[in-house]
Amino acid sequence: GGMSPSNTGDLRFTTHWKAIRRANTIIERIDNAPFDDPAFKRRVKGEGYCIRALNYFELLRKYGGVPILRERVDIGGNLKIPRSTVKEVVQFILDDCKEAISLLPKPNELSTSERGRLTNLAAMCLKARTLLYAASPLNNPDAETNPAKWIETANAAKKIIDAAGSWNLSLVSFDRLLGADNYKEPEMILIKRIGDTNELEKLNFPIGLEGGKSGNCPTQNLVDAYDMKEGQEMNESEPYANRDPRLAYTVLYHGGKTAYGKQVDVLPNGLNGLPQEGATKTGYYLSKFVNISVSLTANSTTTAKHSMPLFRYAEILLIYAEAMNEAYGPEGVTDELNLSARDAINMVRGRSGLGIAALTSEDVSSKKEFRQALRKERMAELAFEDHRFWDIRRWKIGEETTKIKRVSISKAGDKYSFEYSVTADRIWDDKMYFYPIPQSEIYKNPKLVQNPGWK
C-alpha cells in the first residue's frame, strides 16, 4: 500500500522504452546494413517487431494507454508525446505481431541450440494474449454483453491449436515441463534460457537449509486451487495426499522432499518452521522451477541451467477456453471454432500423469460456473509464471483477493493437526488496477497524464 507516483519501486518504466528504441533502430536500419544476407535481415527485422510488441504489451498491462513511438527518437527530438488510448496501443501491438509473423521463422525451422529465439509462433501467441487482455473487463466495458472481442481472441488462439500438429506442439507431463532440458519440450513455445546459476535456489530454498532464504512462499489460497485425483476424497489429517500432482511440483509442503535429501519441517521450532527468523508465514515454500539437486553448501557450491516459459501451449488452450466461454458458454461451438470451452480446458486437465477428473457439463453448466473453474485452472496450471497478478487486474477481482490464507501444523503423538487462518487483509484500492506513472517521467513529459486515483 505504500506505492505512489514518487515511490514506484522497481517498475522498470524506462527499461521498456530503451528496448523499444533499440527495436525501432533495428526496424529502420537493418535493410541498409552493409552485408548481404537477406534471410538474416528478414529474421532480425521480425525480431525487432516482436520485441517492440512484447515491450508495448508489458507497458499496456502495467499502465494502460502509453505513447506510441513508431520511429527512433534522437536527442533533441520531440519527446513530449501524449498517451494513446488502450485501443490504439492494442492495435499497434497487433500490427507489429502481423509483421513479425510474416518475417520470423517457423518453430520447426530452428535448431535445438536456437530454442529461445523468437518465431512466428511466439508472435502468434503474443497476439492471442494481447487480444485476451483487450477483451477482459479491465479494458472492455462490454465484456459481459458484447462477444466480438472474445470471438477475435478465440480465433487467434484456434489458429495455433489447429497448427499444433504441423509444429510438433503438444502438452507434456509436468515432470518434463520442469526438468533441466524443458526448453526442448514440445509444449514450450518461447522460453527464457538462463545459464548456470543458483540464484533461484538461493532465494527460494527453505530457511533452515544452508544458503536458503525462503523467498516466495506460496499461500493456502494457491494450494486450494489443486483438486483431488479422480475418485479420491480429502482426508483432513492428510490434506496433501492424492492431490493433483501439479501441487507437489509447484508447492513445497510439510514432509515434502527438499535439498540435501531433507524433508520440509514447518512444525513449530522445526527445521523450516516458525518462530525461526525468515521462516514461511504461510506454511509453504516454493517448488516450481527450483532445482533441489543444486548445492549451496560451503566449498561445494553447484549451479544448474534454468529455462522459464514465456509462452507455452497450455496457456493457449486456456486463452481459447476462456474466450469461447465468454462468447458462447461452456459447450458452444461454431463451424470454425469447433472446439468447445469445456473440451479445451479438459485437454489441459487431461495432460499425461495428472489423473484428475475432466470437467463435466454438470460441473460447469453455466457461463459463470465455467468462468470460476477457468480462473481456478489458470491459477493452478500457470502458477509462478507471471499470470495470476495480472489476471486479478484484467478480471477486476482485486476486492476478492485480499485475504491471504495460511496453514499452521502441529503434532501430538503420530497425529497431525492443520489449522487454517488468514494472515492479514491486504490493502486494495481500485486505482491499483494500473500502476502509477512515475512522477519523474511526468516532469519530463507533462503530456503523460497520471492514471486515475494516483496523486
Side-chain angles (χ1 to χ4, degrees), residues 266-342:
V266 296
L267 293 173
N269 298 305
L271 176 65
N272 319 113
L274 293 168
Q276 183 177 180
E277 184 177 354
T280 173
K281 295 180 180 181
T282 64
Y284 301 104
Y285 291 98
L286 180 66
S287 176
K288 198 169 186 180
F289 302 123
V290 176
N291 189 330
I292 63 172
S293 67
V294 165
S295 172
L296 302 178
T297 58
N299 302 319
S300 61
T301 301
T302 61
T303 59
K305 293 180 173 63
H306 300 75
S307 295
M308 302 299 179
L310 303 178
F311 292 106
R312 59 184 178 91
Y313 189 42
E315 183 201 350
I316 301 305
L317 289 166
L318 294 176
I319 288 174
Y320 178 83
E322 181 176 350
M324 285 295 287
N325 178 62
E326 298 297 339
Y328 302 110
E331 308 291 343
V333 294
T334 69
D335 288 343
E336 293 184 354
L337 300 170
N338 54 8
L339 178 69
S340 72
R342 187 167 65 85

Side-chain angles (χ1 to χ4, degrees), residues 135 146-157 323-324 326-328 334 337:
N146 186 351
K149 290 184 179 180
W150 292 114
I151 293 170
E152 190 177 5
T153 303
N155 275 302
M324 285 295 287
E326 298 297 339
Y328 302 110
T334 69
L337 300 170

